[in-house]
């Protein structure tokens, strides 16, 4: 079992930056693929980025490619999402998630554990 806690959300102006963190519990954190998702009001949860257990491979949704960077530090049981050039349409609750099998990691169904989310609001 993995427990995940996100932090780092807040209010930022368009064009600004934020870095989200997701702290995981447990000695097996380093064996999980990790992902970030977001959900805006009235919309379905959508994939943002994913990273393999070693950090050797990263994947991004087209909407954030070139602006967001996912990374991890397994020694600290933490995964990060650096968000630059933020846009109002990036406003959402952001969730991190852990995947045991690393299958379908660009989909909600590919993940086994979820954090509680952190709000990101980008003003125009």
């Amino acid at each position: 079992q993995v427990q995940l806690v996100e932090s780092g959300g807040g209010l930022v102006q368009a064009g600004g930056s934020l870095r989200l963190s997701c702290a995981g519990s447990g000695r097996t954190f380093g064996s999980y693929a990790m992902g970030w998702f977001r959900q805006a009001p009235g919309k379905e949860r959508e994939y943002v980025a994913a990273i393999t257990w070693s950090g050797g491979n990263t994947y991004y949704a087209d909407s954030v490619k070139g602006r967001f960077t996912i990374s991890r530090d397994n020694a600290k049981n933490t995964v990060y999402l650096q968000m630059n050039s933020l846009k109002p349409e990036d406003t959402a609750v952001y969730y991190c998630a852990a995947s045991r099998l690393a299958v379908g990691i660009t989909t909600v169904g590919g993940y086994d554990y979820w954090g509680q989310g952190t709000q990101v609001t980008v003003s125009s």
Side-chain angles (χ1 to χ4, degrees):
Q1 181 112 8
V2 175
Q3 293 184 323
L4 304 170
V5 179
E6 302 96 335
S7 62
L11 173 65
V12 64
Q13 288 188 332
S17 298
L18 281 175
R19 188 175 83 153
L20 305 183
S21 299
C22 173
S25 64
R27 292 177 291 177
T28 60
F29 178 85
S31 66
Y32 290 84
M34 298 296 295
W36 285 97
F37 289 74
R38 66 188 181 187
Q39 188 166 17
K43 295 188 176 182
E44 293 187 353
R45 191 168 298 189
E46 67 171 0
Y47 159 74
V48 174
I51 188 167
T52 52
W53 68 271
S54 67
N57 293 94
T58 57
Y59 309 90
Y60 298 93
D62 288 343
S63 59
V64 306
K65 201 170 293 183
R67 299 189 298 123
F68 291 11
T69 302
I70 188 171
S71 62
R72 68 189 298 163
D73 185 340
N74 287 340
K76 296 182 179 179
N77 279 12
T78 303
V79 64
Y80 304 97
L81 185 69
Q82 177 67 43
M83 306 186 295
N84 299 329
S85 302
L86 282 161
K87 305 175 181 180
E89 51 264 43
D90 294 318
T91 295
V93 177
Y94 282 71
Y95 300 88
C96 72
S99 172
R100 290 177 298 163
L101 298 179
V103 174
I105 59 173
T106 63
T107 66
V108 170
Y111 291 84
D112 304 286
Y113 305 104
W114 293 83
Q116 84 291 347
T118 185
Q119 176 71 47
V120 171
T121 303
V122 184
S123 63
S124 58

